[in-house]
Amino acid sequence: MNASLESLYSACSMQSDTVPLLQNGQHARSQPRASGPPRSVQPQVSPRQRVQRSQPVHILAVRRLQEEDQQFRTSSLPAIPNPFPELCGPGSPPVLTPGSLPPSQAAAKQDVKVFSEDGTSKVVEILADMTARDLCQLLVYKSHCVDDNSWTLVEHHPHLGLERCLEDHELVVQVESTMASESKFLFRKNYAKYEFFKNPMNFFPEQMVTWCQQSNGSQTQLLQNFLNSSSCPEIQGFLHVKELGKKSWKKLYVCLRRSGLYCSTKGTSKEPRHLQLLADLEDSNIFSLIAGRKQYNAPTDHGLCIKPNKVRNETKELRLLCAEDEQTRTCWMTAFRLLKYGMLLYQNYRIPQQRKALLSPFSTPVRSVSENSLVAMDFSGQTGRVIENPAEAQSAALEEGHAWRKRSTRMNILGSQSPLHPSTLSTVIHRTQHWFHGRISREESHRIIKQQGLVDGLFLLRDSQSNPKAFVLTLCHHQKIKNFQILPCEDDGQTFFSLDDGNTKFSDLIQLVDFYQLNKGVLPCKLKHHCIRVAL
């Protein structure tokens, strides 16, 4: 699969270099010109809109003054020519006006307000040509987050009940110009942004995908058909469609093509005379419904919407749809993105990997300067010695780690009146971790998992609502969310935590999470990504 995609990607790269993208997939590097007369790529502007550059100053009057001044000079003093005669004229010196510089030197700036999940916000000054990925990297730098290329900018419309993740190549200022006053940008994780490139079979059920060219119907060429403009993939299936201007919903047979979204007026027939256009892909974007049942009386919780860019607050022109389950909704939304942007999405997916490959020969583990200067020492004798053997140094580090855990456990028992006392370190140390979300409800934890991407291994930990001494692990597997209760147990007067009724015990929740990140155990999959909320 990856080899076939790379061949298609390299074929497109023959025409243009693989560099960070500008608007509409244009590249930052200049392409080699073909033989023949050069073609201008600048837009046509009127003479009044043309940039006015500074013109030479008429200096005949200045020279006349210099000649009159020569008459009063003594012949013993040499005449020194003025190197800047235009600055000595009787008129005011030339001053650059705000519009006198070329656009490349006087780039427009704009303030953008971005909100985080906890309601905090930050105003950032950006350039007019800054993309969503550039802004995310800037926010990562300002918020001291880890940049793992999963941060996204979310377009949130509370009045319409819609939200979507911006594509990495989209211009932030351009998107903001289509938003209403109460709409806003959110800074959020989205691990599922490019997950369909890694596991396409999980996103596109076989019964929902067809091809106009039967020779290209192989499942191994699924993504190639989406990315290749010469092929014609289609997504088909039943959807609940809300009639424009009405409150009623109808279940129709719908198919998605490059030209738009169509519904069949006669059963499952896809003949041209039975197909009716529902929405266009060109000037529209696809959104998720936040509260479809409450706001639009949707039949299920898996709603989506195709919103024209010209629509701000009006709901009359919104094409509201509803799927039966989450996998079906994800399939429709992913296909919409692929059919609209095509190879642009694959380029966005490949750019971070290419940067990582370029830096990999020079990358070293992230350490502080003081840690790099440390060496392993042995103080068992009368004098200390440097441990030069790496195997001996590693065993010494493991022995020290076990000794530290024994000391901390002994301190917890001695410093607490009861093994389950809330002041013990094992019961509070997890509150410093990003994956622990405290006392939130089951519904809130499911909402956070859905927002940050339904990928295998996405998890968070929270306090249990039914048992005040227990905790709950919320985990996503196969686009379904499952909950596992973590119960405390006692052994020789010491408190442990366990997921499997005491068969595997851990002294604290950090040790439990570390274990299940390496071992699946009783869970359906390993813990891979944790839900995180960052305050801007």
Side-chain angles (χ1 to χ4, degrees):
M1 172 67 69
N2 293 332
S4 59
L5 289 177
E6 286 299 328
S7 61
L8 181 62
Y9 179 55
S10 59
C12 295
S13 300
M14 293 284 290
Q15 302 175 0
S16 58
D17 297 333
T18 305
V19 293
L21 298 172
L22 300 179
Q23 184 183 7
N24 297 329
Q26 297 177 358
H27 296 270
R29 297 181 184 174
S30 59
Q31 301 179 1
R33 295 180 179 271
S35 59
R39 294 183 299 175
S40 175
V41 296
Q42 299 295 333
Q44 298 294 332
V45 295
S46 62
R48 293 184 179 180
Q49 296 176 345
R50 213 166 279 159
V51 176
Q52 299 292 332
R53 294 181 171 83
S54 57
Q55 301 295 330
V57 180
H58 195 64
I59 59 175
L60 292 179
V62 180
R63 290 180 179 175
R64 191 177 299 112
L65 290 176
Q66 290 178 348
E67 293 174 358
E68 294 176 359
D69 188 38
Q70 288 290 341
Q71 299 177 0
F72 300 98
R73 291 190 179 186
T74 59
S75 58
S76 60
L77 294 176
I80 302 176
N82 186 4
F84 304 105
E86 61 271 16
L87 299 181
C88 303
S92 60
V95 180
L96 291 177
T97 59
S100 61
L101 290 177
S104 59
Q105 300 180 18
K109 294 184 179 181
Q110 185 170 334
D111 290 338
V112 174
K113 193 172 186 179
V114 184
F115 291 81
S116 61
E117 294 291 335
D118 59 355
T120 60
S121 62
K122 182 185 291 292
V123 178
V124 185
E125 186 182 53
I126 65 172
L127 299 176
D129 59 348
M130 181 171 282
T131 62
R133 168 174 288 177
D134 296 334
L135 181 55
C136 286
Q137 290 180 339
L138 179 62
L139 293 173
V140 165
Y141 172 76
K142 289 182 176 293
S143 305
H144 308 286
C145 308
V146 177
D147 187 11
D148 54 358
N149 299 304
S150 61
W151 290 100
T152 56
L153 204 64
V154 179
E155 180 183 352
H156 181 75
H157 301 274
H159 177 71
L160 300 175
L162 307 175
E163 67 178 23
R164 76 174 180 101
C165 294
L166 269 67
E167 304 296 347
D168 286 339
H169 64 271
E170 289 190 78
L171 298 180
V172 178
V173 175
Q174 192 177 51
V175 174
E176 191 181 36
S177 64
T178 64
M179 297 168 56
S181 57
E182 67 272 8
S183 302
K184 57 186 178 180
F185 286 125
L186 301 177
F187 183 54
R188 181 190 295 166
K189 282 272 190 181
N190 183 15
Y191 294 102
K193 182 165 56 173
Y194 299 120
E195 189 69 18
F196 57 89
F197 283 119
K198 305 173 186 177
N199 303 301
M201 296 299 109
N202 295 338
F203 285 80
F204 300 102
E206 187 175 358
Q207 67 274 11
M208 293 183 62
V209 183
T210 58
W211 290 268
C212 292
Q213 300 174 1
Q214 296 298 327
S215 60
N216 293 334
S218 174
Q219 286 292 330
T220 58
Q221 297 180 348
L222 175 64
L223 290 179
Q224 269 191 314
N225 281 274
F226 277 108
L227 300 179
N228 194 351
S229 59
S230 62
S231 59
C232 302
E234 289 184 7
I235 299 295
Q236 60 186 10
F238 284 95
L239 282 176
H240 298 275
V241 181
K242 186 177 183 297
E243 298 186 68
L244 294 178
K246 299 181 180 180
K247 296 183 179 181
S248 59
W249 293 73
K250 285 187 177 181
K251 191 173 183 179
L252 301 175
Y253 190 76
V254 182
C255 66
L256 179 63
R257 299 177 176 177
R258 292 192 186 276
S259 56
L261 183 70
Y262 299 86
C263 69
S264 178
T265 58
K266 185 178 180 180
T268 59
S269 173
K270 292 196 295 183
E271 296 184 15
R273 59 194 179 96
H274 295 149
L275 292 181
Q276 180 180 354
L277 181 66
L278 289 178
D280 189 9
L281 276 66
E282 186 64 27
D283 296 324
S284 304
N285 282 300
I286 192 161
F287 290 77
S288 298
L289 289 183
I290 303 174
R293 285 183 181 269
K294 182 178 180 180
Q295 190 167 359
Y296 297 104
N297 197 25
T300 69
D301 293 323
H302 314 288
L304 58 149
C305 171
I306 299 180
K307 171 183 170 293
N309 296 332
K310 61 181 180 180
V311 175
R312 293 181 180 268
N313 284 330
E314 304 82 8
T315 60
K316 297 180 180 179
E317 299 185 36
L318 297 179
R319 179 56 70 181
L320 300 175
L321 310 166
C322 205
E324 293 291 344
D325 50 44
E326 187 61 37
Q327 185 183 23
T328 305
R329 177 171 74 165
T330 304
C331 176
W332 286 102
M333 297 185 68
T334 306
F336 186 99
R337 295 172 57 202
L338 280 168
L339 290 175
K340 181 175 182 179
Y341 296 110
M343 186 58 69
L344 269 177
L345 290 186
Y346 191 66
Q347 290 174 338
N348 294 340
Y349 165 68
R350 288 289 297 156
I351 285 173
Q353 296 182 347
Q354 292 170 350
R355 290 177 179 174
K356 185 177 179 181
L358 292 175
L359 297 175
S360 59
F362 307 100
S363 61
T364 56
V366 180
R367 292 181 176 181
S368 62
V369 177
S370 59
E371 187 181 353
N372 284 325
S373 61
L374 298 178
V375 294
M377 297 289 294
D378 178 18
F379 294 101
S380 58
Q382 295 181 353
T383 59
R385 67 179 182 89
V386 177
I387 302 178
E388 298 181 354
N389 187 359
E392 185 183 359
Q394 184 177 6
S395 61
L398 292 175
E399 183 179 355
E400 178 65 22
H402 291 309
W404 173 85
R405 186 168 290 277
K406 290 179 181 179
R407 288 196 300 269
S408 63
T409 304
R410 190 163 55 250
M411 290 174 60
N412 293 340
I413 296 176
L414 294 177
S416 174
Q417 298 178 357
S418 172
L420 296 179
H421 196 273
S423 64
T424 58
L425 181 63
S426 61
T427 58
V428 297
I429 192 173
H430 54 268
R431 300 189 180 276
T432 62
Q433 304 300 307
H434 291 298
W435 38 256
F436 187 75
H437 288 245
R439 196 173 297 277
I440 63 175
S441 64
R442 182 190 186 100
E443 293 75 17
E444 178 69 9
S445 65
H446 287 200
R447 187 182 67 85
I448 295 174
I449 292 282
K450 290 179 180 179
Q451 286 180 344
Q452 301 197 11
L454 292 175
V455 298
D456 289 352
L458 181 62
F459 73 98
L460 62 85
L461 267 73
R462 57 184 174 90
D463 290 313
S464 175
Q465 291 182 306
S466 58
N467 188 348
K469 297 180 181 180
F471 304 93
V472 177
L473 169 67
T474 305
L475 175 66
C476 178
H477 180 247
H478 287 172
Q479 298 184 352
K480 295 182 179 180
I481 303 175
K482 302 180 180 180
N483 296 277
F484 302 88
Q485 197 168 40
I486 304 173
L487 296 174
C489 56
E490 293 185 39
D491 189 3
D492 294 336
Q494 185 178 353
T495 304
F496 292 96
F497 298 94
S498 177
L499 267 174
D500 51 4
D501 297 329
N503 293 326
T504 310
K505 295 176 289 188
F506 305 94
S507 60
D508 52 54
L509 295 185
I510 296 180
Q511 191 182 34
L512 182 145
V513 170
D514 290 342
F515 175 83
Y516 285 107
Q517 284 178 331
L518 300 175
N519 308 275
K520 184 174 70 172
V522 296
L523 299 177
C525 63
K526 298 179 184 178
L527 306 182
K528 187 175 182 181
H529 308 292
H530 65 272
C531 293
I532 180 175
R533 286 181 169 183
V534 175
L536 293 176

